Coordinates of all heavy atoms in Angstrom, one line a residue:
L17 N -7.4 7.8 -16.1 CA -8.3 7.2 -15.2 C -8.7 8.1 -14.0 O -9.8 8.2 -13.7 CB -7.7 5.9 -14.7 CG -8.5 5.0 -13.8 CD1 -9.7 4.5 -14.6 CD2 -7.7 3.9 -13.2
C18 N -7.7 8.8 -13.5 CA -7.9 9.7 -12.4 C -8.9 10.8 -12.8 O -9.8 11.1 -12.0 CB -6.6 10.4 -12.0 SG -5.5 9.3 -11.2
E19 N -8.8 11.4 -14.0 CA -9.7 12.4 -14.4 C -11.1 11.9 -14.6 O -12.0 12.6 -14.2 CB -9.2 13.0 -15.8 CG -7.9 13.7 -15.7 CD -7.3 14.0 -17.1 OE1 -7.9 13.7 -18.1 OE2 -6.1 14.5 -17.1
G20 N -11.3 10.7 -15.0 CA -12.6 10.1 -15.2 C -13.3 10.0 -13.9 O -14.5 10.0 -13.8
Y21 N -12.6 9.8 -12.8 CA -13.2 9.6 -11.5 C -13.0 10.9 -10.6 O -13.4 10.9 -9.4 CB -12.5 8.4 -10.8 CG -13.0 7.1 -11.3 CD1 -12.3 6.4 -12.3 CD2 -14.2 6.6 -10.9 CE1 -12.7 5.3 -12.8 CE2 -14.7 5.4 -11.5 CZ -13.9 4.7 -12.4 OH -14.3 3.5 -12.9
G22 N -12.5 11.9 -11.2 CA -12.4 13.2 -10.4 C -11.4 13.2 -9.3 O -11.5 13.8 -8.3
V23 N -10.3 12.4 -9.5 CA -9.2 12.3 -8.5 C -8.0 13.1 -9.0 O -7.5 12.8 -10.1 CB -8.9 10.8 -8.3 CG1 -7.7 10.7 -7.3 CG2 -10.1 10.0 -7.8
S24 N -7.6 14.0 -8.3 CA -6.4 14.8 -8.7 C -5.1 13.9 -8.4 O -5.1 13.1 -7.5 CB -6.3 16.1 -7.9 OG -5.9 15.8 -6.6
K25 N -4.1 14.2 -9.2 CA -2.9 13.5 -9.1 C -2.2 13.8 -7.7 O -1.4 13.0 -7.2 CB -1.9 13.7 -10.2 CG -2.5 13.1 -11.5 CD -1.5 13.2 -12.6 CE -2.2 12.5 -13.8 NZ -1.3 12.1 -14.8
D26 N -2.5 14.9 -7.2 CA -2.0 15.3 -5.8 C -2.5 14.4 -4.8 O -2.0 14.2 -3.7 CB -2.3 16.7 -5.5 CG -1.5 17.7 -6.4 OD1 -0.5 17.3 -6.9 OD2 -2.0 18.8 -6.6
A27 N -3.7 13.8 -5.0 CA -4.3 12.9 -4.0 C -3.8 11.5 -4.0 O -4.1 10.7 -3.2 CB -5.8 12.9 -4.3
I28 N -2.9 11.2 -5.0 CA -2.3 9.9 -5.1 C -0.9 9.8 -4.6 O -0.1 10.7 -5.0 CB -2.3 9.4 -6.6 CG1 -3.8 9.3 -7.0 CG2 -1.6 8.1 -6.7 CD1 -4.0 9.0 -8.5
C29 N -0.6 8.9 -3.8 CA 0.8 8.7 -3.2 C 1.3 7.4 -3.7 O 0.8 6.3 -3.2 CB 0.7 8.8 -1.7 SG 2.3 8.4 -0.9
E30 N 2.2 7.4 -4.7 CA 2.8 6.1 -5.1 C 4.0 5.8 -4.2 O 4.9 6.6 -4.0 CB 3.3 6.2 -6.6 CG 2.1 6.4 -7.5 CD 2.6 6.4 -9.0 OE1 3.4 5.5 -9.3 OE2 2.2 7.3 -9.7
V31 N 4.0 4.6 -3.7 CA 5.1 4.2 -2.7 C 5.8 3.0 -3.2 O 5.2 1.9 -3.1 CB 4.4 4.0 -1.3 CG1 5.5 3.6 -0.3 CG2 3.6 5.2 -0.9
P32 N 7.0 3.1 -3.7 CA 7.7 1.9 -4.2 C 8.4 1.1 -3.0 O 8.5 1.6 -1.9 CB 8.8 2.5 -5.1 CG 9.1 3.8 -4.4 CD 7.7 4.3 -3.9
Y33 N 8.8 -0.1 -3.3 CA 9.6 -0.9 -2.4 C 10.6 -1.6 -3.3 O 10.4 -1.7 -4.5 CB 8.8 -1.8 -1.6 CG 8.2 -3.0 -2.3 CD1 8.8 -4.2 -2.3 CD2 7.1 -2.9 -3.2 CE1 8.4 -5.3 -3.0 CE2 6.6 -3.9 -3.9 CZ 7.3 -5.2 -3.8 OH 6.8 -6.2 -4.5
Q34 N 11.7 -2.1 -2.6 CA 12.7 -2.9 -3.4 C 12.1 -4.2 -3.8 O 11.8 -5.0 -2.9 CB 13.9 -3.0 -2.6 CG 15.1 -3.6 -3.3 CD 16.4 -3.7 -2.5 OE1 16.5 -3.0 -1.5 NE2 17.3 -4.4 -3.0
R35 N 12.0 -4.5 -5.0 CA 11.5 -5.7 -5.6 C 12.2 -6.9 -5.1 O 13.4 -6.9 -4.8 CB 11.5 -5.7 -7.1 CG 10.8 -6.8 -7.8 CD 10.8 -6.6 -9.2 NE 10.2 -7.8 -9.8 CZ 9.6 -7.8 -11.0 NH1 9.7 -6.7 -11.8 NH2 9.1 -8.9 -11.4
N36 N 11.5 -8.0 -4.9 CA 12.0 -9.3 -4.4 C 12.5 -9.2 -2.9 O 13.4 -10.0 -2.5 CB 13.0 -9.9 -5.3 CG 12.5 -10.2 -6.7 OD1 11.4 -10.7 -6.8 ND2 13.3 -9.9 -7.7
T37 N 12.0 -8.3 -2.2 CA 12.3 -8.1 -0.8 C 11.0 -7.9 0.0 O 10.0 -7.6 -0.5 CB 13.3 -7.0 -0.5 OG1 12.6 -5.7 -0.6 CG2 14.5 -7.0 -1.4
I38 N 11.2 -7.8 1.4 CA 10.1 -7.4 2.2 C 10.5 -6.1 3.0 O 10.1 -5.8 4.0 CB 9.7 -8.5 3.2 CG1 10.8 -9.0 4.1 CG2 9.0 -9.6 2.5 CD1 10.4 -9.9 5.2
L39 N 11.4 -5.4 2.3 CA 11.9 -4.1 2.9 C 10.9 -3.0 2.6 O 11.0 -2.3 1.6 CB 13.3 -3.8 2.3 CG 14.4 -4.8 2.5 CD1 15.7 -4.4 1.8 CD2 14.7 -5.1 4.0
V40 N 10.0 -2.8 3.6 CA 8.9 -1.9 3.3 C 8.9 -0.7 4.3 O 7.9 0.1 4.4 CB 7.6 -2.6 3.3 CG1 7.5 -3.6 2.2 CG2 7.3 -3.3 4.7
D41 N 9.9 -0.5 5.1 CA 9.9 0.5 6.2 C 9.7 1.9 5.6 O 9.0 2.7 6.1 CB 11.2 0.5 7.0 CG 11.2 -0.8 7.9 OD1 10.2 -1.3 8.2 OD2 12.4 -1.1 8.3
D42 N 10.4 2.2 4.5 CA 10.3 3.5 3.9 C 8.8 3.7 3.3 O 8.3 4.8 3.4 CB 11.3 3.7 2.7 CG 12.7 3.9 3.3 OD1 12.9 4.2 4.5 OD2 13.6 3.7 2.4
S43 N 8.3 2.6 2.8 CA 6.9 2.7 2.3 C 5.9 2.9 3.4 O 5.0 3.7 3.3 CB 6.6 1.3 1.6 OG 7.4 1.1 0.5
V44 N 6.1 2.3 4.6 CA 5.3 2.4 5.7 C 5.3 3.9 6.2 O 4.3 4.5 6.4 CB 5.7 1.5 6.9 CG1 5.0 1.9 8.2 CG2 5.4 0.1 6.5
T45 N 6.5 4.5 6.2 CA 6.6 5.9 6.7 C 5.9 6.8 5.7 O 5.2 7.7 6.1 CB 8.1 6.3 6.7 OG1 8.8 5.4 7.6 CG2 8.3 7.7 7.1
A46 N 6.0 6.6 4.4 CA 5.4 7.4 3.4 C 3.8 7.3 3.5 O 3.1 8.3 3.4 CB 5.8 7.1 2.0
I47 N 3.3 6.1 3.7 CA 1.9 5.9 3.8 C 1.4 6.5 5.1 O 0.3 7.2 5.1 CB 1.6 4.3 3.8 CG1 1.8 3.8 2.4 CG2 0.1 4.1 4.2 CD1 1.8 2.3 2.3
E48 N 2.1 6.4 6.2 CA 1.7 7.1 7.4 C 1.6 8.6 7.2 O 0.7 9.2 7.8 CB 2.6 6.7 8.6 CG 2.5 5.3 9.0 CD 3.5 4.8 10.0 OE1 4.6 5.5 10.1 OE2 3.2 3.9 10.7
R49 N 2.5 9.2 6.5 CA 2.5 10.6 6.3 C 1.3 11.0 5.4 O 0.7 12.0 5.6 CB 3.8 11.1 5.6 CG 4.9 11.4 6.5 CD 6.0 12.2 5.8 NE 6.4 11.7 4.5 CZ 7.4 10.9 4.2 NH1 8.2 10.5 5.1 NH2 7.6 10.4 3.0
H50 N 1.0 10.2 4.4 CA -0.1 10.5 3.5 C -1.5 10.3 4.1 O -2.4 10.9 3.7 CB 0.1 9.7 2.2 CG -0.7 10.2 1.1 ND1 -0.5 11.4 0.4 CD2 -1.8 9.7 0.5 CE1 -1.4 11.6 -0.5 NE2 -2.2 10.5 -0.5
N51 N -1.6 9.3 5.0 CA -2.8 9.0 5.7 C -4.0 8.7 4.7 O -5.0 9.4 4.6 CB -3.2 10.1 6.6 CG -4.3 9.7 7.6 OD1 -4.4 8.5 7.9 ND2 -5.1 10.6 8.1
P52 N -3.8 7.7 3.8 CA -4.8 7.4 2.8 C -6.1 6.8 3.2 O -6.1 6.2 4.3 CB -4.0 6.4 1.9 CG -3.2 5.7 2.8 CD -2.7 6.7 3.8
D53 N -7.1 7.0 2.4 CA -8.4 6.3 2.6 C -8.4 4.9 2.0 O -9.1 4.1 2.4 CB -9.5 7.1 2.0 CG -9.7 8.5 2.7 OD1 -9.5 8.6 3.9 OD2 -10.0 9.5 2.0
V54 N -7.6 4.8 0.9 CA -7.5 3.5 0.2 C -6.0 3.2 -0.1 O -5.3 4.1 -0.4 CB -8.2 3.6 -1.2 CG1 -8.1 2.4 -2.0 CG2 -9.7 4.0 -1.0
I55 N -5.7 1.9 0.1 CA -4.3 1.5 -0.3 C -4.5 0.4 -1.3 O -5.2 -0.6 -1.1 CB -3.5 1.0 0.9 CG1 -3.3 2.1 1.9 CG2 -2.2 0.3 0.4 CD1 -2.6 1.6 3.2
F56 N -3.9 0.5 -2.5 CA -4.0 -0.5 -3.5 C -2.6 -1.1 -3.6 O -1.7 -0.5 -3.9 CB -4.4 0.1 -4.9 CG -5.0 -0.9 -5.8 CD1 -6.3 -0.7 -6.2 CD2 -4.3 -2.0 -6.3 CE1 -6.9 -1.7 -7.1 CE2 -4.8 -2.9 -7.1 CZ -6.1 -2.8 -7.5
L57 N -2.6 -2.4 -3.4 CA -1.3 -3.2 -3.4 C -1.0 -3.8 -4.7 O -1.7 -4.7 -5.1 CB -1.4 -4.2 -2.3 CG -1.7 -3.7 -0.9 CD1 -2.2 -4.8 0.0 CD2 -0.5 -3.0 -0.3
F58 N 0.1 -3.3 -5.3 CA 0.6 -3.9 -6.6 C 1.9 -4.6 -6.3 O 2.9 -4.3 -6.8 CB 0.8 -2.8 -7.6 CG -0.4 -2.2 -8.2 CD1 -0.9 -1.0 -7.8 CD2 -1.1 -2.9 -9.2 CE1 -2.1 -0.5 -8.4 CE2 -2.3 -2.4 -9.8 CZ -2.7 -1.2 -9.4
S59 N 1.8 -5.5 -5.3 CA 3.0 -6.2 -4.9 C 2.6 -7.7 -4.7 O 1.5 -8.0 -4.6 CB 3.6 -5.6 -3.6 OG 2.6 -5.5 -2.6
T60 N 3.7 -8.5 -4.5 CA 3.4 -9.9 -4.2 C 3.0 -10.1 -2.7 O 3.1 -9.1 -2.0 CB 4.6 -10.8 -4.5 OG1 5.8 -10.2 -3.8 CG2 4.9 -10.7 -6.0
Y61 N 2.7 -11.3 -2.4 CA 2.1 -11.6 -1.1 C 3.1 -11.1 0.1 O 2.6 -10.4 1.0 CB 1.8 -13.1 -0.9 CG 1.4 -13.5 0.4 CD1 0.1 -13.2 0.9 CD2 2.3 -14.1 1.3 CE1 -0.3 -13.5 2.2 CE2 1.9 -14.4 2.6 CZ 0.6 -14.1 3.0 OH 0.3 -14.5 4.3
A62 N 4.3 -11.6 0.1 CA 5.2 -11.3 1.2 C 5.4 -9.8 1.5 O 5.2 -9.4 2.7 CB 6.6 -12.0 1.0
P63 N 5.7 -9.0 0.6 CA 5.9 -7.5 0.9 C 4.5 -6.9 1.3 O 4.5 -6.0 2.1 CB 6.5 -6.9 -0.3 CG 6.3 -7.8 -1.4 CD 6.2 -9.2 -0.8
S64 N 3.4 -7.3 0.7 CA 2.1 -6.8 1.0 C 1.8 -7.2 2.5 O 1.3 -6.3 3.2 CB 1.0 -7.4 0.1 OG 1.2 -7.0 -1.2
R65 N 2.0 -8.4 2.8 CA 1.7 -8.8 4.2 C 2.6 -8.0 5.2 O 2.1 -7.6 6.2 CB 2.0 -10.3 4.3 CG 1.7 -10.8 5.7 CD 1.9 -12.3 5.9 NE 1.7 -12.6 7.3 CZ 1.6 -13.8 7.7 NH1 1.6 -14.8 6.9 NH2 1.5 -14.1 9.0
M66 N 3.9 -7.9 4.9 CA 4.8 -7.1 5.8 C 4.3 -5.7 5.9 O 4.3 -5.1 7.0 CB 6.2 -7.2 5.3 CG 7.2 -6.5 6.2 SD 7.3 -7.2 7.8 CE 7.9 -8.9 7.5
L67 N 3.9 -5.1 4.8 CA 3.4 -3.7 4.9 C 2.2 -3.6 5.8 O 2.1 -2.7 6.7 CB 3.1 -3.2 3.5 CG 2.6 -1.8 3.4 CD1 3.8 -0.8 3.4 CD2 1.8 -1.6 2.1
I68 N 1.2 -4.5 5.6 CA 0.0 -4.5 6.4 C 0.4 -4.7 7.9 O -0.2 -4.1 8.8 CB -1.0 -5.6 5.9 CG1 -1.5 -5.1 4.5 CG2 -2.1 -5.8 6.9 CD1 -2.2 -6.1 3.8
E69 N 1.3 -5.7 8.2 CA 1.7 -5.9 9.6 C 2.3 -4.7 10.2 O 2.0 -4.4 11.3 CB 2.6 -7.1 9.6 CG 2.0 -8.5 9.4 CD 2.9 -9.6 9.5 OE1 4.1 -9.4 10.0 OE2 2.5 -10.7 9.1
K70 N 3.2 -4.0 9.5 CA 3.9 -2.9 10.0 C 3.0 -1.7 10.2 O 3.2 -0.9 11.1 CB 5.1 -2.5 9.2 CG 6.2 -3.6 9.3 CD 7.5 -3.1 8.6 CE 8.5 -4.2 8.9 NZ 9.8 -3.6 9.4
L71 N 2.0 -1.5 9.3 CA 1.1 -0.4 9.5 C 0.1 -0.7 10.7 O -0.2 0.2 11.4 CB 0.2 -0.2 8.2 CG 1.0 0.4 7.0 CD1 0.2 0.3 5.8 CD2 1.3 1.9 7.4
G72 N -0.2 -1.9 10.8 CA -1.0 -2.3 12.0 C -2.5 -2.2 11.8 O -3.0 -1.3 11.1
A73 N -3.2 -3.0 12.6 CA -4.7 -3.0 12.5 C -5.3 -1.7 12.9 O -6.3 -1.2 12.3 CB -5.3 -4.1 13.3
Q74 N -4.8 -1.0 13.9 CA -5.4 0.2 14.4 C -5.3 1.3 13.3 O -6.3 1.9 13.0 CB -4.6 0.7 15.6 CG -5.2 2.0 16.2 CD -6.5 1.7 16.9 OE1 -6.9 0.6 17.2 NE2 -7.3 2.7 17.0
R75 N -4.2 1.4 12.6 CA -4.1 2.4 11.5 C -4.9 2.1 10.3 O -5.4 2.9 9.6 CB -2.6 2.6 11.1 CG -2.4 3.6 10.0 CD -1.0 3.8 9.7 NE -0.3 4.5 10.8 CZ -0.4 5.8 11.0 NH1 -1.1 6.6 10.3 NH2 0.3 6.3 12.0
L76 N -5.1 0.8 10.0 CA -5.8 0.4 8.9 C -7.3 0.1 9.1 O -8.0 -0.2 8.1 CB -5.2 -0.9 8.3 CG -3.7 -0.8 7.9 CD1 -3.2 -2.2 7.5 CD2 -3.6 0.1 6.7
S77 N -7.8 0.4 10.3 CA -9.2 0.1 10.6 C -10.2 0.9 9.7 O -11.3 0.4 9.4 CB -9.5 0.3 12.0 OG -9.3 1.7 12.4
D78 N -9.8 2.0 9.3 CA -10.7 2.9 8.4 C -10.2 3.0 7.0 O -10.6 3.9 6.2 CB -10.9 4.3 9.0 CG -11.7 4.2 10.3 OD1 -12.5 3.3 10.4 OD2 -11.4 5.1 11.1
V79 N -9.3 2.1 6.6 CA -8.6 2.2 5.3 C -9.1 1.0 4.4 O -9.2 -0.1 4.9 CB -7.1 2.1 5.4 CG1 -6.5 2.1 4.0 CG2 -6.6 3.3 6.2
T80 N -9.5 1.3 3.2 CA -9.9 0.2 2.3 C -8.6 -0.3 1.6 O -7.8 0.4 1.1 CB -10.8 0.8 1.2 OG1 -12.0 1.3 1.8 CG2 -11.2 -0.3 0.2
L81 N -8.4 -1.6 1.7 CA -7.3 -2.3 1.1 C -7.8 -3.0 -0.2 O -8.8 -3.7 -0.1 CB -6.7 -3.3 2.1 CG -6.1 -2.8 3.4 CD1 -5.6 -3.9 4.2 CD2 -5.0 -1.8 3.1
M82 N -7.0 -2.8 -1.2 CA -7.3 -3.4 -2.5 C -6.0 -4.0 -3.0 O -5.0 -3.5 -2.8 CB -7.9 -2.4 -3.5 CG -9.1 -1.7 -3.0 SD -9.7 -0.4 -4.0 CE -10.3 -1.3 -5.4
G83 N -6.1 -5.2 -3.7 CA -4.9 -5.8 -4.2 C -5.2 -6.6 -5.4 O -6.4 -6.8 -5.8
I84 N -4.2 -7.1 -6.0 CA -4.3 -8.0 -7.2 C -4.5 -9.4 -6.7 O -4.2 -9.7 -5.6 CB -3.1 -7.8 -8.1 CG1 -1.8 -7.9 -7.3 CG2 -3.1 -6.5 -8.9 CD1 -0.5 -7.7 -8.2
S85 N -5.0 -10.2 -7.6 CA -5.6 -11.5 -7.1 C -4.7 -12.5 -6.5 O -5.2 -13.4 -5.8 CB -6.3 -12.2 -8.3 OG -5.4 -12.5 -9.3
F86 N -3.4 -12.4 -6.7 CA -2.6 -13.5 -6.1 C -2.1 -13.1 -4.7 O -1.2 -13.7 -4.2 CB -1.3 -13.8 -7.0 CG -0.4 -12.6 -7.3 CD1 0.5 -12.2 -6.4 CD2 -0.6 -11.9 -8.5 CE1 1.4 -11.2 -6.7 CE2 0.3 -10.9 -8.8 CZ 1.2 -10.5 -7.8
L87 N -2.8 -12.2 -4.0 CA -2.4 -11.8 -2.7 C -3.2 -12.7 -1.7 O -3.7 -12.2 -0.7 CB -2.7 -10.4 -2.4 CG -1.9 -9.4 -3.2 CD1 -2.3 -8.0 -2.9 CD2 -0.4 -9.5 -2.9
T88 N -3.2 -14.0 -1.9 CA -3.9 -14.9 -0.9 C -2.8 -15.8 -0.3 O -1.8 -16.1 -0.8 CB -4.9 -15.7 -1.7 OG1 -4.3 -16.5 -2.7 CG2 -6.0 -14.8 -2.2
D89 N -3.2 -16.3 0.8 CA -2.3 -17.3 1.5 C -3.0 -18.6 1.7 O -4.1 -18.8 1.9 CB -2.0 -16.7 2.9 CG -0.9 -17.6 3.6 OD1 -0.3 -18.4 3.0 OD2 -0.8 -17.4 4.9

């Protein structure tokens, strides 16, 4: 998929979190270091929301957020 869109694997930062938790501090740190243009959330609502809250509106103002369909409240 990356090759088809001309995206190098070095441009992708995969950030895991502990499943069934909202422990996302390490993920927040990794995302802040990478400074992405796009964040795609493959997580459930609670950890996704916590990640967004911890990153903050100021940091995310120029970031495109994408997620899977059950990320609604």
Side-chain angles (χ1 to χ4, degrees):
L17 186 63
C18 292
E19 294 169 2
Y21 286 96
V23 176
S24 73
K25 292 192 180 200
D26 293 336
I28 296 174
C29 174
E30 292 186 47
V31 182
Y33 73 100
Q34 186 175 346
R35 190 176 175 158
N36 297 320
T37 72
I38 57 170
L39 303 174
V40 296
D41 290 339
D42 291 343
S43 301
V44 169
T45 301
I47 290 169
E48 288 174 338
R49 274 196 315 262
H50 193 71
N51 196 28
D53 296 323
V54 177
I55 297 175
F56 203 117
L57 303 163
F58 287 101
S59 53
T60 57
Y61 174 77
S64 296
R65 179 177 176 169
M66 183 60 64
L67 182 80
I68 290 167
E69 285 181 13
K70 289 186 177 235
L71 286 169
Q74 184 70 21
R75 178 173 294 281
L76 296 173
S77 64
D78 291 332
V79 176
T80 300
L81 297 176
M82 301 173 71
I84 48 182
S85 63
F86 59 82
L87 294 178
T88 59
D89 186 16

